[in-house]
Amino acid sequence: MSGQDVFATWRLDGRTALVTGASSGLGRHFAGLLARAGASVVLAARRTDRLEALRAEITAAGGQASAIALDVTDAGSIASAFDDVVPDILVNNAGIAHAGKAMDMAAEDWEAVIDTNLTGAFLVAQAAARKMAGRGRGGSIVNIASITGFRVANQLAAYAASKAGLVHLTKALALEWARHGIRVNALCPGYIVTEINRDFFTTEVGEALVRRIPQRRIGLEQDLDGALLLLASDAGAYITGAALAVDGGHLVSSL
Ligand code: NAD
C-alpha cells in the first residue's frame, strides 16, 4: 500500500469553515458536522442570538465555533462579516423559497428569492474567494443548490430558477478560481426532512411525493453528510465545478 491516507483526507482539523444560514435546518446540521470533522466553524446568520445554543452545543462537544451576523442580501453586512474571517471552507447554505403560481407572483417575491439564493450566494462566495486568494492556500466553496436546479416543480418558478442559476454560477466560478486553488461545487439535495417541512411529509400530498422518489423514502439531514464532507475536504481535492445530487434517485424518476 502506498500514497496518502485516504481516510485522513476527510478530516478538517485546522480549517475554518463558514456556514451561512446556520441558525436552522440544514445549515445548523452542516455546522455541527463540520465541527465534528475538526473544523473551527463560523456560524453566520442574520440574528446572532439564534446561534448561541448551537455555538454552546458545539463547544460542549469539544468543537470550536463562533457566531457572526450576516445577511446575505446586504453588501455591507457581507463586507463586515468577512472583516476578520479567512475561511478555508464556505458553505453557501442560506436560502428561501416562495411557493405560488407564477402568474400571481409579485415582483418583490421574485426578487427576494433571487436576491437571497443567487445574488446573495454570489456575493458571499466572492467575499470568501477574495480572502482565500489573498492568503494563497486555496479553499473550498460548497453551494447548497437543489434538484430543482435541474428539474422543475409546480409553483416554484423563482426558487427553481435561482437554484438553476446557482448550479451554473458554480461552474463559472470553478473555472475562474481554479488558478487560486479554490474549488467550487454545488450540493443538490432532494427533499430532506427538517423541522419546518416535517409535517408536510405526513400529509397525503407529501406521502404521494415520497412514492415518486425511486428509493421511496424522504432524505434525512445525515444523508447529505458524505457529500458535504467530500466536497469540503481534501477527499474531493480534484473535484471542482461539479453539481452532486443527493436525492434517493428523485432526478431519475420515471417520466
Ligand atoms: P431553513 O429555512 O431552515 O434554512 C434556511 C436558512 O437560511 C435559515 O436559517 C434562514 O434564516 C437563512 N436565511 C434566509 N435568508 C437569509 C439571509 N438574507 N441572510 C442570511 N441567512 C438567511 O431551510 P433548509 O431546508 O435548512 O434550507 C437550507 C438550504 O438548503 C437552502 O438553500 C435550501 O434551498 C436548500 N435545500 C433544502 C432542501 C430541503 O429539502 N430541506 C432541499 C434542497 C435544497
Side-chain angles (χ1 to χ4, degrees), residues 21 23-26 46 70-73 93-96 116 144-146 159 163 189-192 194 196-197:
S23 61
S24 65
L26 300 185
R46 283 169 292 186
L70 172 63
D71 180 341
V72 305
T73 63
N93 166 80
I96 58 170
T116 306
I144 307 303
S146 159
Y159 183 77
K163 295 298 189 179
Y191 288 84
I192 308 294
T194 62
I196 56 165
N197 62 18

